[in-house]
Amino acid sequence: MGLSGHAAIAGYTYHRQRQQRFFHPTSTPPKPPTNSNMAVTTPFQTLFAVPMTCDSCVKDISGALYKLQGITKVEADLAEQLVSIEGTAAPSAIVETIQATGRDAILRGSGASNSAAVSILETFDQPAESSSVNSDGGKDRTVRGLARIVQVSPTTTLVDLTLRGVAPGTYRATVREFGNLADGASSTGPVWSGATPGKEADATAGDAARGFLGTVEVGASGHGSVFLNHPFQIWEAIGHAMVVSRQDESDGSPLQNDANTVVGVIARSAGMWDNDKTVCSCTGKTLWEERKDEVTKGML
């Protein structure tokens, strides 16, 4: 499996589900999120690949990261080109901080084994016949969002959600009952109830709302991000779809595909030290060569 396709996906194959894809930094990064759901108090570990050539690089990166709120520990391995970080800061904020030093950063792992996941969020509003066929034999879609997910306790999972290139407004982030993306958001079903299989959801117990993660505000720049704290476990969400949309579902209307509704399947991604590949077994490209390819697509 390639360097950008390192997620161990349970029970399905999804050609666009890539762990190591990030958005290209812009000159006007989004403002820090103000969503009330973003309070994160449980520290967790993240591992990044970062190009470093000398001790000065290590010093610059460490110094910048320690200025980021929530960072408690930074360890850099110059020989392996890796930086491990502990704290409560969002991975997207860590990436932006490292990139601000003039260096790139690729997330290589989060949390313990089997405690991390990722969802690449794409639009499905364009007609299938107008979408080009990619090298994997699937249809290319427009990537507009990324959700990095890590479980930090038996009852708490963090969702680091970023949106790019969508219209301003308030977006609802939800986990859906199904992972079927055949028809985009419209085939993902209702919001995930979280009920035990074979048991009706009990609204009074909060089961009916488990799939509602929270909201993210997108400003005039088309950028928005939020760091959410939600009570579910990674294994429960794997294989479900995630949808982020401005659509109102309060009247029971099903979701429709539009230019500002993004959807992706939630797939496992690597935990700390789980992913040590530096050369893709299927393309022969190095980690940074694949990174360069993704940058040209505007997705990093």
Side-chain angles (χ1 to χ4, degrees):
M1 183 174 287
L3 290 169
S4 294
H6 350 321
I9 304 176
Y12 64 90
T13 300
Y14 181 46
H15 76 276
R16 295 286 288 178
Q17 204 62 40
R18 302 283 177 100
Q19 176 198 350
Q20 306 296 352
R21 289 203 213 158
F22 303 94
F23 293 95
H24 186 64
T26 66
S27 57
T28 56
K31 294 180 180 180
T34 57
N35 190 293
S36 61
N37 292 322
M38 67 171 288
V40 175
T41 58
T42 304
F44 59 98
Q45 291 182 304
T46 49
L47 181 68
F48 293 85
V50 181
M52 299 175 288
T53 59
C54 62
D55 289 336
S56 293
C57 294
V58 173
K59 184 177 179 180
D60 288 347
I61 293 167
S62 298
L65 288 172
Y66 275 123
K67 293 177 182 178
L68 184 63
Q69 184 176 0
I71 298 296
T72 57
K73 185 177 181 180
V74 178
E75 292 184 343
D77 187 327
L78 182 60
E80 297 296 329
Q81 305 280 281
L82 295 172
V83 178
S84 61
I85 299 159
E86 185 173 325
T88 58
S92 58
I94 294 172
V95 170
E96 289 182 1
T97 298
I98 294 175
Q99 289 174 338
T101 71
R103 301 164 180 87
D104 210 345
I106 300 177
L107 182 64
R108 300 292 279 162
S110 298
S113 294
N114 299 318
S115 70
V118 65
S119 184
I120 306 299
L121 302 168
E122 304 170 303
T123 58
F124 276 72
D125 63 305
Q126 60 268 64
E129 59 270 18
S130 68
S131 301
S132 60
V133 178
N134 61 32
S135 59
D136 293 324
K139 299 292 185 180
D140 277 326
R141 303 288 183 177
T142 303
V143 176
R144 296 297 189 196
L146 175 66
R148 304 176 180 93
I149 309 168
V150 59
Q151 182 180 327
V152 296
S153 79
T155 58
T156 303
T157 292
L158 309 178
V159 181
D160 180 16
L161 174 62
T162 304
L163 296 178
R164 296 286 190 272
V166 293
T170 300
Y171 286 72
R172 299 170 70 251
T174 58
V175 177
R176 316 302 292 194
E177 283 289 350
F178 313 128
N180 181 6
L181 302 190
D183 296 314
S186 61
S187 58
T188 61
V191 176
W192 174 52
S193 69
T196 303
K199 176 185 175 183
E200 291 293 327
D202 181 0
T204 62
D207 288 346
R210 287 194 72 201
F212 176 65
L213 301 179
T215 60
V216 55
E217 296 294 332
V218 174
S221 66
H223 298 171
S225 61
V226 68
F227 200 20
L228 303 166
N229 181 331
H230 203 65
F232 68 92
Q233 297 186 59
I234 289 293
W235 66 266
E236 296 179 284
I238 296 301
H240 289 267
M242 177 181 290
V243 173
V244 184
S245 177
R246 296 187 301 175
Q247 295 180 49
D248 183 6
E249 297 182 82
S250 60
D251 61 355
S253 299
L255 286 173
Q256 302 297 319
N257 294 314
D258 61 40
N260 297 301
T261 293
V262 294
V263 57
V265 171
I266 299 173
R268 288 195 184 277
S269 62
M272 286 288 289
W273 312 111
D274 283 348
N275 182 15
D276 59 359
K277 291 183 179 180
T278 57
V279 177
C280 174
S281 60
C282 52
T283 67
K285 294 182 179 181
T286 67
L287 176 72
W288 297 105
E289 287 172 336
E290 284 209 341
R291 172 71 158 183
K292 184 177 180 180
D293 288 345
E294 299 297 344
V295 169
T296 63
K297 300 175 184 177
M299 275 193 300
L300 303 191

